[in-house]
Amino acid sequence: MSENLSNRITKVLIAGAGVGGLTAALSLHRRGVQVEVYEKYKGMQRHTTGFTLWSYAITRLQELGLGPSEMETVGTPVEVMEIRNQKGRLIAKMPIGEVSRELGADSYEIKRPRLLEAIESQLPEGTVRRGVECVSAESSGDAATLEFADGSKATGDLVIGADGIHSNLRASVSGPSELRDSGYRGCSAVTDYTSRDDLAHFHIDIWGKGGKAGIADVGEGRIRWYLTWKTKLDNEMQTREQLLSAHQGWDPILLEVIESTPESEILHHQFFDIAAIETWRRGRIVLLGDAAHATTPFAAMGANMTIEDVAVLTEQLEQAPEVDSALAAFEDARKQRTEDIVSKGQSMARLTQLHSSFAAWLRDQAFLHMPEKETEKVTREMASGE
Ligand SMILES: Cc1cc2nc3c(=O)[nH]c(=O)nc-3n(C[C@H](O)[C@H](O)[C@H](O)COP(=O)(O)OP(=O)(O)OC[C@H]3O[C@@H](n4cnc5c(N)ncnc54)[C@H](O)[C@@H]3O)c2cc1C
């Protein structure tokens, strides 16, 4: 227990039981703080989705007490990330496993609902209250109050807005914000792949012309895959047959996994980010994760940044002399860094989905001839978050 923290903060209220809300709840609970999490949905979402967590974020989860047995259920370590061109030709191979282990923890492909369940299972029963929509928050003196859709309220020493990209609490902290359409749509699914043992511990990124795709082993004989395309093509990408027909000539592995997926398991997505907001905090209210800095998934960093936010916020609450200075130090440490990643998401969207055949060919040649040392450097940057 951290006496420094629990002496100054008794109760924290958190809006949202996603990656950020639950990780923050566990981090504060481990330090002796009473936590209440309010989640607008009544139950876990039925469909499984997944994402990549790099070594540095996994280290943070391990520090919170997610040990090898929990990690085994939430996902699987990534050994190799291959970048392929549209037709399936290898253009770069990244030694994710080797580099991640040198950094101290494997990078993982994660099943989102399993991760959330694993974190929640370490919290005292009743911490997460479901079916409660937070509409706004107010700060007064050393307290902050969360207001719910049914008109009721709760008060604590600190309110954390972890209510995701469509955050209601963002407006309570920094006024109106702009959700920016990336111009891309996409879909994803998790499916069985019992016939493809050779995909074990692989993540394959396929950079196409005007769109991209990915396939990754998430453990337990299942893989996740995704596709992206320009918004104007959306009408032609609605059914599995349409997806297959639009991607004829792409990497045969991709077509095989799409074919093996029941249509009802395919989820469709719109990709947005938010323009930088003026501030992440007002009095005793603070934002983190997508509520503060939502990015498109093209840099595969949103959940990683969210977990890092929680670690830095907790460290500052422990170390800074006052809660207010801790929140200021947290914002100072994270705001510019995450804004840079939001921009990186936009650059990655352009780089990985180039529209001109010639530009795509040049890009592929550049990666194909990248010296091994450079590939390792890029891998290290991704896995370490530096
Ligand atoms: C298709 C896709 C692929 C992605 N791939 C990656 C990847 O590979 N790597 C990576 O790092 N990131 C990835 N991301 C981004 C990542 O999912 C997010 O950045 C991350 O989930 C943010 O965590 P969060 O807790 O801030 O928000 P969320 O995980 O969205 O959680 C917000 C929670 O708040 C709840 N909520 C919302 N409004 C309210 C309200 N008013 N009151 C109460 N509760 C509320 C929501 O129901 C949800 O449970 C991807 C995202 C998408 C869409």
Side-chain angles (χ1 to χ4, degrees):
M1 179 184 296
S2 162
E3 283 181 12
N4 193 23
L5 210 168
S6 59
N7 282 343
R8 282 183 285 142
I9 298 182
T10 311
K11 184 158 97 173
V12 174
L13 310 178
I14 300 177
V19 178
L22 289 177
T23 312
L26 185 56
S27 186
L28 293 166
H29 166 68
R30 292 279 190 246
R31 289 162 175 85
V33 177
Q34 186 194 335
V35 189
E36 292 172 8
V37 182
Y38 296 92
E39 165 59 44
K40 80 171 171 185
Y41 289 112
K42 284 207 167 99
M44 283 274 180
Q45 281 162 34
R46 193 180 68 79
H47 289 278
T48 301
T49 56
F51 50 77
T52 313
L53 282 186
W54 303 110
S55 174
Y56 65 96
I58 294 295
T59 299
R60 297 302 197 175
L61 293 179
Q62 289 172 343
E63 285 165 3
L64 291 180
L66 294 198
S69 62
E70 283 87 12
M71 291 313 297
E72 207 178 302
T73 65
V74 305
T76 202
V78 187
E79 202 51 51
V80 173
M81 180 180 270
E82 284 189 2
I83 298 172
R84 299 185 182 180
N85 74 6
Q86 191 164 305
K87 290 187 172 151
R89 182 173 178 209
L90 183 69
I91 52 176
K93 195 168 185 161
M94 301 187 164
I96 303 284
E98 189 186 319
V99 169
S100 299
R101 282 188 290 279
E102 275 169 32
L103 294 168
D106 274 310
S107 297
Y108 270 72
E109 280 299 326
I110 297 285
K111 290 173 274 219
R112 186 186 296 258
R114 289 285 186 85
L115 176 65
L116 301 183
E117 276 163 19
I119 299 174
E120 192 173 334
S121 72
Q122 314 241 341
L123 290 166
E125 217 166 301
T127 301
V128 181
R129 297 150 197 219
R130 295 186 182 280
V132 187
E133 184 179 359
C134 308
V135 288
S136 62
E138 269 185 20
S139 177
S140 169
D142 288 349
T145 300
L146 249 187
E147 293 156 3
F148 306 113
D150 66 0
S152 62
K153 296 180 179 186
T155 298
D157 304 304
L158 177 67
V159 162
I160 297 178
D163 50 344
I165 187 165
H166 301 289
S167 169
N168 281 345
L169 264 64
R170 194 184 295 137
S172 299
V173 169
S174 72
S177 56
E178 185 199 342
L179 210 57
R180 298 182 299 200
D181 189 334
S182 68
Y184 291 94
R185 300 288 182 267
C187 66
S188 68
V190 176
T191 186
D192 294 333
Y193 79 99
T194 40
S195 59
R196 293 301 303 242
D197 281 354
D198 56 328
L199 291 177
H201 303 293
F202 260 64
H203 180 126
I204 299 168
D205 241 23
I206 302 167
W207 295 1
K209 195 169 91 57
K212 67 175 286 198
I215 302 168
D217 174 22
V218 290
E220 299 175 328
R222 312 205 80 202
I223 57 164
R224 74 173 177 108
W225 60 267
Y226 63 85
L227 290 171
T228 65
W229 53 79
K230 264 295 207 199
T231 302
K232 64 179 183 203
L233 298 175
D234 210 32
N235 285 340
E236 296 154 44
M237 301 283 188
Q238 292 306 305
T239 65
R240 189 180 60 175
E241 287 321 305
Q242 284 177 320
L243 295 172
L244 285 167
S245 133
H247 291 84
Q248 280 312 308
W250 282 55
D251 191 331
I253 291 188
L254 176 70
L255 301 180
E256 192 180 312
V257 296
I258 298 175
E259 219 152 26
S260 76
T261 308
E263 180 120 25
S264 58
E265 293 300 314
I266 302 175
L267 302 178
H268 284 256
H269 310 283
Q270 301 180 350
F271 302 120
F272 297 98
D273 64 13
I274 60 163
I277 58 174
E278 191 141 332
T279 177
W280 290 8
R281 65 197 161 89
R282 189 160 66 81
R284 290 291 182 101
I285 314 166
V286 65
L287 304 174
L288 57 76
D290 280 7
H293 50 67
T295 177
T296 57
F298 296 107
M301 293 282 276
N304 287 274
M305 285 195 293
T306 301
I307 291 169
E308 193 66 14
D309 284 352
V310 170
V312 175
L313 176 61
T314 315
E315 275 160 21
Q316 292 303 334
L317 286 169
E318 276 186 317
Q319 288 162 16
E322 304 288 339
V323 175
D324 292 348
S325 53
L327 300 185
F330 162 65
E331 182 172 352
D332 276 356
R334 298 295 296 157
K335 196 163 183 291
Q336 188 57 53
R337 157 93 179 129
T338 51
E339 282 166 16
D340 291 346
I341 305 280
V342 173
S343 304
K344 188 173 173 190
Q346 293 173 343
S347 323
M348 286 302 284
R350 285 189 294 274
L351 175 75
T352 57
Q353 308 174 110
L354 288 170
H355 288 253
S356 132
S357 303
F358 181 61
W361 178 82
L362 280 180
R363 170 200 65 197
D364 297 351
Q365 290 303 308
F367 275 85
L368 196 55
H369 299 293
M370 190 188 267
E372 205 175 301
K373 250 188 154 167
E374 190 58 27
T375 311
E376 203 187 310
K377 186 170 160 249
V378 174
T379 309
R380 192 168 292 276
E381 281 168 6
M382 291 193 306
S384 66
E386 279 161 12

